[in-house]
Amino acid sequence: MKMWRILALITLTGLPMRVLAENADLEAKWERQRLANHLKLLEKIKLNDAAAHARIMAAEAANDQTALKELVLHEDGDVRQAAVFKLEDQETLAGIARNDSESDVYQIAMLRLTDQTLLAEIAKHGDNRAYGDNGKRWGMHIWAVSKLTDQALLAEFVKHEDGNVRAAATTNLRDQTLLADIAQNDKSAYVRIEATSRLDGGQALLLDIAKNCQDDGERRMAVEKLTDQAQLLDFAKHDKGVWVRGTAAGKLHDQKRIAEIAKHDASDDVRLTATLHLDDQTAIAEIVRNDASPRVRWAAVSRLDDQALLEEIAETDNSMEVRIEAASRIDGQEKLLKIARDGTYEDIDRIHAVDEILRQAHLLEFAQQDDDKVVRRAAIRNLKNQALLAEIAKHDPDVPSRLAALGVLKDQAVLTEIAKHDTNARIRLETIKALKDQSLLLDFAKNDKDLMIRRAAIRNLKNRAALEDFATHDADADVRLSAAVMLDDQARIADIARHDQVKTIRLAAIHYIKNQESLLELATKDKDGEIRMEAVNWLDDQAQIAEIAKIDKDERVRRAATARLKDQALLEEIARNDAAPNVRRPAVAKLTDQTVLMEIVANSKDAQERHAAVCNLTDQQLLAELATTEKDDHVRQTAVSKLTDPKLLAEIARDDKNVWVRSEAVSRLTDQGQLAEIVKRHEHTSVRNVAVRRLNDPALLADIAQNDSDAQVRITALIKLDDQALMAELAKHDSDKDVRRVAITKIRDDTFLADVAKGGKHADARTEATARISDQSALADIVKSDDNRKISDMAFARLTDPVHLADIAKGGGARSIPAVYKLDDQTSLAEVAKIDGAGFVRKIAVSKLDDQALLADIAQHDKHAEARRWAVFKLTDPATLTHIAANDASEQVRQEAVKRLNALKKD
């Protein structure tokens, strides 16, 4: 089949090439779009294979699920897609999603699949067939996980080896304890960030993550959730991560602190974020004038009120974006007019200036005469002259300019003329939206050949009889839907909900029904389960809802009704007696009777149902029984998470066969002796990590950090410590790179950082320590003495002290030239300029000098003629130059002085 025909069929059926949506709203939108385009496409598309077209139409119209299954089994791809889109049976859809070889077919099945157990099966089988687009493609098993909402199933998948699976599961997870564990311990930074974003509170935990996590993304997410201003200020000023500092700065309240960060932070991104939160006009003006980054200046201009400064920036700033922002904030019309007219400005500046101009004569000038179409459109949007707007709307060769005129045109006669006679469909459509004449709108709604025009006219109609006629009889489904939405007659809306041939219109009509009797009739008597389910969602009477929950033959309807029940006796009855696990589960999730819940745990064969029951248990005796005897690991873990008996928790932590159950028990222990014993004896790293996090004894934690055989356990211990000497020792000598890195991040004292930088056993630790040192003497020492070029370069890059830079520049080594280039201090430059030898270094120093007294001293007294000549070239005092021209011992210096005098005279 040719590609254009395939595309036509896909449009006809509303099925995209790549199914990316995962929610019912978008699914409904596709269905509405399919119906809206139905007749139009039948008229316009000429299909060669009429039989294939007929089969597709039959599949779309079919309500018989058996017939639809037959079509899926025996027809070609396009027909199969249409049939799958109408299938409702979850088992059948799951089978297609698992086994079908055609990507569009199995993706549509997956889109329609909602059953949590079936989704979990697909997720567990690790189906790697691709879905997705725009260069990002995932396995079907990950899509299945992302559709799960059942918390018990999600908790299982957060243990998966695949980080993408864990991340997908974490997205819908609500258990705060489990999320906290993932945020702290998962091996994937992406998963940890997702878990951190889902945490509801727990400032202590968030602070621990923000301080100690190695990944900037996770730390930034934790900082985003912090509220303590002192903590946020500390992160904003001192954190090494740009994202973290910026996030913290954006949450500060103190304007003085924000201004300090906005002016002095080394990162453009941090300064920009801080500037956007500034209100202090003095600080904002300082940033506008002095910041080197156009982005930061733009942010400052967006907060600036000073009109004089805005005018100056609009004319002089070297960044187009900054000038645009300044121009848009200028109140003075003459200045704006100058900017809009001045050909030296870039067009985008002119557009923004025109947008701010108020005087109609000036706007007319730009609308009629400007060579730039975009500038013209900006002027047209602000015009009020209706005659001129009409001319532009009817005759301008530039369609966007015509649309701009239509946006402000109010003359209904002109609008009518355009709507009737214009040949451009887009122009007509925009015109229809502005029409008010009801008879004219009715004529368009009835007779226009363009369906888009008819729908636009319907949406402006106020004639109820006409709307009812359209809602009942129109051949175009979207026209019927548009009319139905406009109606407010409850009887008519109820009739549409009962009888319209298109299900999406019926479903939409239900939303507008206020009469409970009409809703009850739909909820109990309609043949379509989806209609009954939607109606149940709008019922108020608990007795009616209860009756539906007990007797409806469609488990989807019973489940919807059960989810709205409040009566515990009714919920218990459903939880005990309903044949469908999908109905029993929401009932169990709302039960509070401990005996009933325990019976369900003991007798139910559905794992999700049993887990839902355990989640509502509070009786410690019942929980203890489950925690020690239950065979299902996840149910047992949930029971343990609710236990309070420390003795029993210790036994479970020691003896349970499942590592996650043991970890859960350990996370609830407080006895330091028991925790220490678990750290020493337990064979599983994750359990030992949990125990270490619960320890408080600094001596014991220090021993673990230094001596434990597992690097991850050592890291967990050292994160809880603050001993700077210990951190330095670990950074210098630990065998694991990650342990060394974490230790360095916890060192705040430059003395210890310098100790690591100079005495560390591993180059990576020495480099990282150097990157965190701020003490200039220590950095200078490393520059001079370290043989490792990478470490020496790192130290030199952080060196800013002029005394140390001058010392290096005078030393004559390989760093002399870059050191003098970094110098700005005039006194230090003068010292370098006077050293013996190193002529090029001295020349650079002199070239950077601006202090005339220092230059005069070198020009008159330096023993090297070349240095005197370099200084003469920068002198501006005629008397000093005259003296040198007459008296210097070097002819070259005297000649340079004469040249400099002549140049000054010309200036």
Side-chain angles (χ1 to χ4, degrees), residues 671-711:
D671 185 284
Q672 298 293 293
Q674 292 175 338
L675 291 166
E677 190 65 21
I678 291 169
V679 175
K680 289 179 183 177
R681 309 288 182 196
H682 207 284
E683 73 281 2
H684 204 287
T685 298
S686 64
V687 177
R688 297 176 64 222
N689 265 329
V690 174
V692 171
R693 280 196 295 275
R694 303 286 290 170
L695 284 174
N696 298 320
D697 185 339
L700 181 55
L701 286 166
D703 179 60
I704 295 168
Q706 289 175 293
N707 301 313
D708 198 274
S709 60
D710 191 296

Side-chain angles (χ1 to χ4, degrees), residues 794-852:
M794 177 68 73
F796 184 74
R798 293 180 62 79
L799 192 61
T800 57
D801 183 82
V803 175
H804 290 297
L805 285 170
D807 185 46
I808 293 170
K810 290 187 285 185
R815 301 279 184 190
S816 295
I817 293 174
V820 74
Y821 270 121
K822 287 186 75 172
L823 270 176
D824 290 315
D825 179 73
Q826 295 290 296
T827 304
S828 300
L829 285 167
E831 290 179 14
V832 175
K834 295 176 182 177
I835 61 173
D836 284 331
F840 192 63
V841 173
R842 299 182 67 210
K843 181 176 181 179
I844 296 168
V846 172
S847 70
K848 295 191 71 176
L849 274 174
D850 295 316
D851 188 303
Q852 290 294 305

Side-chain angles (χ1 to χ4, degrees), residues 843-881:
K843 181 176 181 179
I844 296 168
V846 172
S847 70
K848 295 191 71 176
L849 274 174
D850 295 316
D851 188 303
Q852 290 294 305
L854 294 172
L855 286 166
D857 182 55
I858 295 169
Q860 294 179 92
H861 303 118
D862 198 278
K863 63 182 180 181
H864 295 284
E866 193 64 11
R868 297 199 304 276
R869 189 169 69 86
W870 296 331
V872 164
F873 186 75
K874 295 200 71 179
L875 281 176
T876 58
D877 178 43
T880 306
L881 288 166

Side-chain angles (χ1 to χ4, degrees), residues 115-282:
D115 185 281
Q116 297 289 290
T117 303
L118 296 172
L119 285 167
E121 288 178 10
I122 293 173
K124 287 175 181 176
H125 282 91
D127 188 341
N128 285 300
R129 287 175 302 165
Y131 84 97
D133 213 333
N134 298 322
K136 187 173 185 179
R137 307 183 71 78
W138 302 104
M140 292 283 285
H141 63 300
I142 297 173
W143 189 3
V145 173
S146 72
K147 287 170 69 74
L148 289 175
T149 57
D150 186 285
Q151 296 297 296
L153 292 172
L154 288 169
E156 285 295 321
F157 283 106
V158 297
K159 307 171 191 175
H160 202 279
E161 285 300 313
D162 187 331
N164 291 322
V165 173
R166 296 199 306 279
T170 302
T171 301
N172 291 330
L173 197 63
R174 294 193 298 270
D175 186 319
Q176 292 295 302
T177 304
L178 186 51
L179 284 168
D181 181 60
I182 297 167
Q184 291 175 297
N185 297 313
D186 198 274
K187 59 188 177 183
S188 165
Y190 175 56
V191 179
R192 293 197 303 273
I193 292 170
E194 183 62 39
T196 303
S197 72
R198 306 287 297 172
L199 290 173
D200 288 341
Q203 292 288 299
L205 171 60
L206 290 167
L207 181 61
D208 183 53
I209 294 171
K211 281 186 174 179
N212 300 314
C213 184
Q214 294 304 292
D215 184 83
D216 279 359
E218 187 176 2
R219 292 171 54 241
R220 174 176 176 263
M221 185 61 70
V223 167
E224 179 66 44
K225 289 174 168 283
L226 287 177
T227 57
D228 186 281
Q229 289 291 300
Q231 293 169 355
L232 288 167
L233 179 60
D234 184 54
F235 283 112
K237 292 177 69 176
H238 303 302
D239 200 274
K240 65 176 182 178
V242 170
W243 283 9
V244 178
R245 292 202 309 278
T247 300
K251 298 197 70 180
L252 290 176
H253 300 154
D254 187 318
Q255 286 288 303
K256 183 177 179 182
R257 300 297 189 189
I258 297 172
E260 180 183 346
I261 294 163
K263 289 190 282 188
H264 300 302
D265 196 276
S267 165
D268 295 356
D269 293 310
V270 177
R271 297 200 309 280
L272 184 146
T273 302
T275 300
L276 287 172
H277 287 80
L278 263 182
D279 296 322
D280 185 318
Q281 290 294 305
T282 303

Side-chain angles (χ1 to χ4, degrees), residues 241-533:
V242 170
W243 283 9
V244 178
R245 292 202 309 278
T247 300
K251 298 197 70 180
L252 290 176
H253 300 154
D254 187 318
Q255 286 288 303
K256 183 177 179 182
R257 300 297 189 189
I258 297 172
E260 180 183 346
I261 294 163
K263 289 190 282 188
H264 300 302
D265 196 276
S267 165
D268 295 356
D269 293 310
V270 177
R271 297 200 309 280
L272 184 146
T273 302
T275 300
L276 287 172
H277 287 80
L278 263 182
D279 296 322
D280 185 318
Q281 290 294 305
T282 303
I284 290 170
E286 185 178 344
I287 294 166
V288 168
R289 291 185 182 281
N290 300 325
D291 202 279
S293 167
R295 295 191 305 135
V296 178
R297 296 200 306 280
W298 172 89
V301 167
S302 74
R303 311 281 292 174
L304 186 64
D305 297 331
D306 185 326
Q307 290 292 304
L309 183 52
L310 284 169
E311 290 181 9
E312 177 187 334
I313 298 301
E315 291 186 358
T316 62
D317 198 275
N318 59 17
S319 164
M320 178 179 67
E321 288 79 8
V322 176
R323 296 198 306 277
I324 291 169
E325 186 62 27
S328 71
R329 293 178 62 80
I330 294 172
D331 293 334
Q333 291 291 301
E334 292 304 317
K335 179 60 70 173
L336 286 167
L337 189 60
K338 180 178 182 297
I339 293 171
R341 283 176 173 163
D342 194 334
T344 63
Y345 285 93
E346 298 177 48
D347 287 342
I348 192 72
D349 286 316
R350 299 177 59 233
I351 293 163
H352 281 74
V354 167
D355 269 334
E356 300 296 321
I357 289 173
L358 302 176
R359 198 172 299 165
Q360 290 291 300
H362 294 151
L363 288 170
L364 183 59
E365 170 195 332
F366 290 110
Q368 290 180 317
Q369 301 174 14
D370 203 274
D371 294 332
D372 188 276
K373 293 179 181 179
V374 182
V375 173
R376 290 185 59 221
R377 292 166 204 157
I380 289 167
R381 283 192 294 269
N382 289 327
L383 278 178
K384 295 179 182 176
N385 186 313
Q386 292 292 302
L388 177 60
L389 287 168
E391 280 301 304
I392 295 170
K394 287 192 289 185
H395 304 302
D396 200 288
D398 180 49
V399 171
S401 294
R402 297 178 66 198
L403 289 170
L406 283 172
V408 285
L409 186 61
K410 295 182 174 63
D411 189 317
Q412 290 290 304
V414 175
L415 290 169
T416 300
E417 181 185 351
I418 294 171
K420 284 182 175 180
H421 304 299
D422 205 278
T423 57
N424 185 289
R426 186 178 175 193
I427 294 292
R428 292 185 67 224
L429 183 62
E430 291 304 314
T431 308
I432 290 291
K433 294 177 182 178
L435 284 178
K436 296 179 181 178
D437 186 312
Q438 290 292 299
S439 61
L440 185 62
L441 286 167
L442 181 58
D443 182 57
F444 280 119
K446 283 182 176 179
N447 302 315
D448 204 274
K449 294 180 180 180
D450 191 319
L451 286 174
M452 294 294 291
I453 297 292
R454 296 185 60 218
R455 293 167 199 157
I458 287 283
R459 294 186 188 106
N460 278 351
L461 269 183
K462 295 181 173 62
N463 185 316
R464 293 185 59 79
L467 287 170
E468 288 177 359
D469 184 59
F470 285 121
T472 307
H473 302 300
D474 201 272
D476 181 78
D478 201 36
V479 169
R480 294 199 301 275
L481 177 60
S482 298
V485 170
M486 296 296 295
L487 288 170
D488 194 31
D489 185 318
Q490 287 294 300
R492 166 56 61 189
I493 294 173
D495 189 59
I496 292 170
R498 292 188 196 103
H499 302 304
D500 200 276
Q501 294 179 352
V502 181
K503 186 191 291 187
T504 52
I505 294 177
R506 299 180 65 202
L507 289 168
I510 290 172
H511 294 186
Y512 295 91
I513 296 176
K514 301 171 185 175
N515 185 285
Q516 289 287 305
E517 291 181 5
S518 298
L519 287 168
L520 180 61
E521 180 185 347
L522 288 165
T524 55
K525 297 180 180 179
D526 200 274
K527 294 180 181 180
D528 191 303
E530 194 173 352
I531 297 292
R532 298 199 304 277
M533 181 175 67

Side-chain angles (χ1 to χ4, degrees), residues 83-96:
V84 173
F85 205 84
K86 301 282 285 185
L87 275 176
E88 295 177 358
D89 182 74
Q90 293 287 296
E91 290 283 356
T92 303
L93 288 168
I96 296 169

